Amino acid sequence: MTATPEPPGGPSVPVDGTAPGAPPTARLRVQRVRPAYRQVADELRSQIMRGSIPSGTRLPAESELTGMFGVSRSTVREALRVLASQHLIETRRGVRGGSFVAAPDPARLVEDVGGALGVLVATPRLGMADLLEARLLLEPAAARLAAQRAAPETVEALRAAACAPRDPRDPSGFVEHMDFHTTVLMATGNLMLTMMGQPVGDVLRTRLNRDVVGPEHWARVDACHESIAEHIARGEAAEAEDAMRGHLLDLREIYDRPGAWRAD
């Protein structure tokens, strides 16, 4: 018996698993090409972050950038708006004005991330439970690192944060409590940990309804903070980690109360 020759390039196999001869059904995901303004912004951002365009440098005029990238002036303007929103460039008016490269400011970037998280937790894509779970992974590890690395002046700052007097306008002492957690993150000496933790604190500060929590719970929070600070001060890494984890788990009693979270 003579074998039927296969078509050039080998047998034809439907990509969707349908039988031969059946109309094919496309199930492949096609990734869209990035908009031109994104590509321009990415290239300029890359040069800024590499130091090829130092801080304070005036970028070429829009007309020059259009020629350099082969795009329209509106595309260049949109790319510059993206960079400005990321605080990588700033626009100055006047004869000597233009777009100038700005040094990245971690504080402003953290503020932006906190604002974005605040928007996300109001959507189904990201819930408060996700934030709290991330915090439970981050902060105990930070307490361990702080106990291993904290310098004497940092230890004093931690103790002061743990015992900070409350603002009479806020009996919960919530701002002081969040300051303590931020100080623990800073005591690791790792800027990335601090930047990861602070936006979560910003969301808690704006979304948690502190009026539903009695003063006895806040007093317990104070005691936990003092205990964590002392473990860190004595260099007790495992104990500091366990104390922070237990503290965050205890806070679930507050977070799970009806009405604990503001809707907006």
Side-chain angles (χ1 to χ4, degrees), residues 107-126:
R108 296 180 72 179
L109 295 175
V110 167
E111 184 179 346
D112 287 348
V113 173
L117 281 177
V119 172
L120 275 176
V121 295
T123 72
R125 299 293 299 275
L126 179 69

Side-chain angles (χ1 to χ4, degrees), residues 86-112:
Q86 297 169 347
H87 311 300
L88 291 175
I89 65 171
E90 56 185 14
T91 302
R92 302 175 192 171
R93 303 291 181 184
V95 179
R96 298 185 179 181
S99 297
F100 293 81
V101 175
D105 183 351
R108 296 180 72 179
L109 295 175
V110 167
E111 184 179 346
D112 287 348

Side-chain angles (χ1 to χ4, degrees), residues 134-145 178 180-182 184-185 188 197 200-201 204 240-241 244-245 247-248:
R135 191 184 185 197
L136 189 59
L137 292 172
L138 176 68
E139 294 198 30
R144 170 182 282 274
L145 281 177
M178 292 312 304
F180 172 78
H181 285 267
T182 299
V184 171
L185 292 167
T188 65
V200 177
L204 293 174
E241 181 177 10
M244 179 64 83
R245 182 176 293 106
H247 169 50
L248 295 176

Side-chain angles (χ1 to χ4, degrees), residues 236-255:
E236 298 169 349
E239 291 83 352
E241 181 177 10
D242 289 343
M244 179 64 83
R245 182 176 293 106
H247 169 50
L248 295 176
L249 289 173
D250 285 343
L251 288 176
R252 285 186 176 178
E253 181 181 347
I254 294 175
Y255 297 151

Side-chain angles (χ1 to χ4, degrees), residues 145-216:
L145 281 177
Q148 295 169 341
R149 299 176 177 178
E153 60 271 19
T154 306
V155 167
E156 290 308 309
L158 274 169
R159 283 173 166 156
C163 303
R166 299 185 184 183
D167 187 332
R169 296 169 295 181
D170 181 12
S172 72
F174 189 79
V175 173
E176 290 76 19
H177 292 158
M178 292 312 304
D179 284 347
F180 172 78
H181 285 267
T182 299
T183 306
V184 171
L185 292 167
M186 294 174 66
T188 65
N190 186 316
L191 180 60
M192 179 58 71
L193 289 178
T194 305
M195 293 182 67
M196 291 168 64
Q198 280 188 251
V200 177
D202 289 341
V203 173
L204 293 174
R205 176 177 53 79
T206 56
R207 296 291 303 281
L208 182 65
N209 183 10
R210 304 189 285 275
D211 294 336
V212 303
V213 184
E216 70 279 3

